[in-house]
Amino acid sequence: MKSYPHSKQSSLIDAFGRKIEYVRLSLTDKCNLRCFYCMPKNFKDFEQPEHWLTFAEITRVIRAFTELGVARVRLTGGEPLVRKDITTLSSQLTALPGLNDLSLSTNATLLKKYASGLQHAGISRINVSLDTLKPERFKQITGGDLQPVLDGLMAAKKAGFNPIKINMVAMKGINEDEFEDMVEFCLQQDFTLRFIETMPMGATGDDANEHYLDLQIVKKQLAERFDLIPGVMPGGGPARYVQIKNTRLRIGFITPISQHFCETCNRVRISVDGTLYLCLGQDDKVELRPLLRAGITDDELKNVIIKAIALKPEKHEFKDKPEQVVRLMSMTGG
Ligand code: SAM
Ligand code: SF4
């Protein structure tokens, strides 16, 4: 007998009353860049391909989530565009009746090639990581070249993606002289801008801590130059938004450390090997791949997901226990 709730209204609610309605799906833990705060330079300990969830397995898991009331999924990584045939997977996912928002987080290095295909496959929104507009600095932060990223952004714009959100990790001693330039760039290009605080994750945790910058300081700095008014962004997630008066530009602040937003957390994450992680900053998890490969039924899968949600921790402890080593950000996609 089925024991999961049928009502999409009440399906996935955790022990703290939070409704889970959003899944971040990592398609690969590999990346063609090496942002120093995300992945160690010589990191090679990647998941073996035979452990990657296949497209059929991914679609099955996401179908189960949609039948439990999740309507929004974001493809991430690692760099999701390095996974072969991502447009095929995107089409399979957007064909699921319960899914009404499939979005993508990317470093945009390969976006020029894929933008139009992804738009046709039904990806609705794109977030692009961009911490600097200076080619030399881009190389220092990521190990790669800036131009393909800018080309990718323009291709996304041409393909009709709207909004396009730029995610800029604000880092003391690295890019704190560029916040206003990035605002100007986003004003010109009609992009949305979001600043992110560094989080101490895995082996890159010390680097992230060293350059941590409280976004309240960034906001004050911007308020001296621009006329900021309160703003809202539909589907804006944990970001708190302001808008520059008399413009369309919205600026979001994602403050996992200075003002954490765990009490309204509505998401879970699935890594490339099919592990369901319940919190970005904790290790609580359920491995779905062995169950899928052992022949679990769809109803059993839904029950496993419901039980897993009950294990979702109340909050991360990045601030209280920065030394606590959780996995790398590239495993679960931020
Ligand atoms: N490769 C894609 C990209 O860069 O957008 C998707 C995956 S990446 C892990 C997702 C987001 O996590 C990016 O915006 C990146 O800047 C952010 N990120 C990675 N490591 C971080 C850290 N230690 N602190 C804060 N943000 C981090
Ligand atoms: Fe790659 Fe994104 Fe991590 Fe940078 S932040 S190393 S682009 S996964």
Side-chain angles (χ1 to χ4, degrees):
M1 198 177 92
K2 292 178 186 177
S3 61
Y4 55 87
H6 293 277
S7 158
K8 288 199 172 174
Q9 294 305 316
S10 62
S11 297
L12 293 178
I13 299 189
D14 76 4
F16 303 93
R18 295 170 298 192
K19 190 172 173 205
I20 305 308
E21 42 199 5
Y22 180 36
V23 171
R24 294 182 67 107
L25 176 68
S26 174
L27 295 183
T28 176
D29 54 351
K30 292 190 169 166
C31 187
N32 53 354
L33 295 181
R34 284 288 180 282
C35 304
F36 74 88
Y37 49 77
C38 177
M39 214 192 278
K41 220 177 208 154
N42 299 316
F43 184 78
K44 291 210 172 63
D45 192 13
F46 296 108
E47 200 50 70
Q48 299 166 28
E50 58 268 31
H51 291 169
W52 300 353
L53 286 196
T54 63
F55 285 1
E57 288 168 334
I58 290 173
T59 306
R60 190 171 168 217
V61 170
I62 297 301
R63 180 186 299 115
F65 270 98
T66 59
E67 289 176 2
L68 292 167
V70 166
R72 297 169 57 204
V73 172
R74 175 170 293 274
L75 305 179
T76 177
E79 174 45 43
L81 298 187
V82 303
R83 176 110 186 223
K84 231 172 126 204
D85 294 330
I86 183 176
T87 41
T88 307
L89 175 67
S90 304
S91 302
Q92 285 170 12
L93 294 178
T94 51
L96 293 171
L99 190 72
N100 60 28
D101 180 23
L102 183 66
S103 56
L104 174 77
S105 285
T106 174
N107 62 29
T109 49
L110 301 172
L111 198 51
K112 187 174 175 190
K113 178 170 167 197
Y114 288 111
S116 163
L118 291 169
Q119 166 80 7
H120 285 114
I123 298 264
S124 48
R125 296 177 299 121
I126 287 199
N127 289 1
V128 171
S129 286
L130 185 60
D131 300 333
T132 175
L133 293 166
K134 297 180 194 279
E136 273 306 304
R137 188 175 283 176
F138 188 86
K139 172 82 74 196
Q140 280 165 8
I141 296 173
T142 71
D145 294 328
L146 175 63
Q147 194 56 48
V149 175
L150 300 177
D151 293 346
L153 274 168
M154 296 313 137
K157 207 170 148 177
K158 197 166 159 208
F161 285 104
N162 188 15
I164 295 172
K165 293 185 192 157
I166 302 293
N167 284 339
M168 180 178 195
V169 179
M171 292 171 281
K172 191 169 65 189
I174 304 277
N175 61 0
E176 59 197 332
D177 56 343
E178 274 196 84
F179 302 148
E180 293 161 34
D181 290 351
M182 195 62 89
V183 168
E184 295 288 357
F185 174 72
C186 290
L187 266 172
Q188 267 168 26
Q189 299 296 340
D190 200 19
F191 297 151
T192 297
L193 175 58
R194 298 165 357 136
F195 292 102
I196 306 178
E197 287 177 346
T198 54
M199 287 171 258
M201 298 286 291
T204 59
D206 288 346
D207 295 316
N209 269 334
E210 190 187 331
H211 299 288
Y212 170 73
L213 186 60
D214 183 332
L215 289 188
Q216 319 309 318
I217 297 171
V218 178
K219 203 175 189 176
K220 267 197 198 132
Q221 193 178 314
L222 294 180
E224 283 169 19
R225 160 99 179 262
F226 303 102
D227 197 355
L228 305 181
I229 56 173
V232 278
M233 184 82 196
R240 296 178 169 89
Y241 278 90
V242 296
Q243 193 160 352
I244 297 189
K245 203 171 174 185
N246 300 325
T247 75
R248 284 158 47 96
L249 179 66
R250 294 184 183 95
I251 306 175
F253 297 87
I254 304 181
T255 56
I257 311 292
S258 65
Q259 294 176 294
H260 74 68
F261 31 78
C262 302
E263 65 282 357
T264 55
C265 182
N266 64 352
R267 59 199 57 195
V268 291
R269 296 171 163 83
I270 301 173
S271 60
V272 64
D273 67 344
T275 306
L276 176 60
Y277 286 97
L278 299 154
C279 171
L280 183 61
Q282 303 281 6
D283 205 35
D284 304 68
K285 62 185 175 211
V286 173
E287 292 182 23
L288 300 178
R289 187 188 78 248
L291 305 174
L292 294 168
R293 293 189 184 173
I296 194 172
T297 66
D298 286 346
D299 287 345
E300 286 164 345
L301 176 60
K302 284 186 233 184
N303 280 326
V304 167
I305 293 171
I306 289 167
K307 286 196 180 125
I309 298 298
L311 298 175
K312 187 170 164 63
E314 184 179 11
K315 57 183 180 174
H316 69 65
E317 294 169 299
F318 289 133
K319 202 168 177 176
D320 304 332
K321 296 188 193 165
E323 70 291 348
Q324 175 176 293
V325 176
V326 281
R327 61 214 165 265
L328 290 173
M329 189 73 96
S330 49
M331 270 183 72
T332 37

